[in-house]
Amino acid sequence: MKVDPTVAALVLFAALLHASWNAIVKSDRDRLMSFGLVMMAGSLIAVPVLPVVAMPGAAAWPYLIASVVVHNFYYFFLLRAYAHGDLSHVYPIARGLGPLLVAVLSGRLAGEYLSFAESAGVTLLSIGIASLAFGHGLPRNSAEWKPVLYALGTGVCIAGYTLVDGLGVRASGDAIGYIAWLNLLEGPWVLGAALWWRGRERVVPYLRAYWWRGTAGGIIATLGYGIAIWAMSVGALAHVAALRETSVLFAAVMGTALLGEGFGRRRIAAAVLVVAGLLLMNLPLFRGSV
């Protein structure tokens, strides 16, 4: 299973969308409420879609339930990582670990085995993405290790929900139906946590003042992950996961230009590794059979 050029272009667009909504959440004064609003907006977007799409097949429901659970662990680790580190620091670590784990596990779980060149490309891509996180060297103390450890936890969850949703959307019989139900089911949990921890007296004024940020973020997040899940229904899991993780390049630029975070020569060099990995994985000259 390969990734068609049109599908690859859409996945790259989804990568831009993913980095964008993460920048929205990272820049907010209360990330828990911002994240909750983003996810709830995605859930509400799914409601009018449900009557016009097919119900996922019975075989897909265990994957849907597992995905909701894994996604909520992902939200926890990501919010903790953003509480302790910069977008351009923790985001590349989290997104870099995902494709490597997917590449290692997709052969056993989905019967997709990479050629030597493709394996080298995934490895090079992952190394390049992870290297973007270490522009200032390795962490030197516990305070610097905290965002790294939370980011690693986030990366494990990313690999988990990528594999679960990749298999689930194929078992569902209808990619759009799977996407709609996933958005509906996973939407309310973070906002519920915000209500529990912040209280109604803080959440309601926030929603009134910043509903537009959450709505915009929800639309961007829903569209971005919807494209990614659909792509996994027609392309190899490892390829789609690797292409999607080019979002770290967009996040690095956004962190620099919009959030005032440093980038540096080392991270530019790491970006070259990312491009080299993509070439190895996707150019017809290098692609072998999966």
Side-chain angles (χ1 to χ4, degrees), residues 3 8 60 65 70 77 95 107 118 131-132 140 154 157 173 176 187 191 200 219 222 252 272 279:
V3 179
I65 294 170
V70 175
F77 282 116
R95 306 311 304 187
E118 291 167 332
S131 297
L132 283 166
R140 293 161 293 185
T154 306
C157 293
I176 304 301
L191 187 59
R200 187 176 181 275
I219 293 171
T222 300
V272 174
L279 291 176

Side-chain angles (χ1 to χ4, degrees), residues 185-237:
L185 294 173
E186 71 173 350
W189 301 100
V190 179
L191 187 59
L195 282 166
W196 176 265
W197 289 105
R198 300 288 190 265
R200 187 176 181 275
E201 64 279 2
R202 291 181 59 185
V203 172
V204 172
Y206 176 90
L207 295 179
R208 288 174 178 168
Y210 298 104
W211 63 269
W212 57 273
R213 285 175 62 97
T215 301
I219 293 171
I220 293 170
T222 300
L223 179 60
Y225 196 51
I227 292 172
I229 295 178
W230 169 80
M232 288 187 288
S233 72
V234 297
L237 298 184

Side-chain angles (χ1 to χ4, degrees), residues 114-124 281:
L114 304 180
S115 68
F116 175 79
E118 291 167 332
S119 297
V122 171
T123 303
L124 194 61
M281 282 191 63

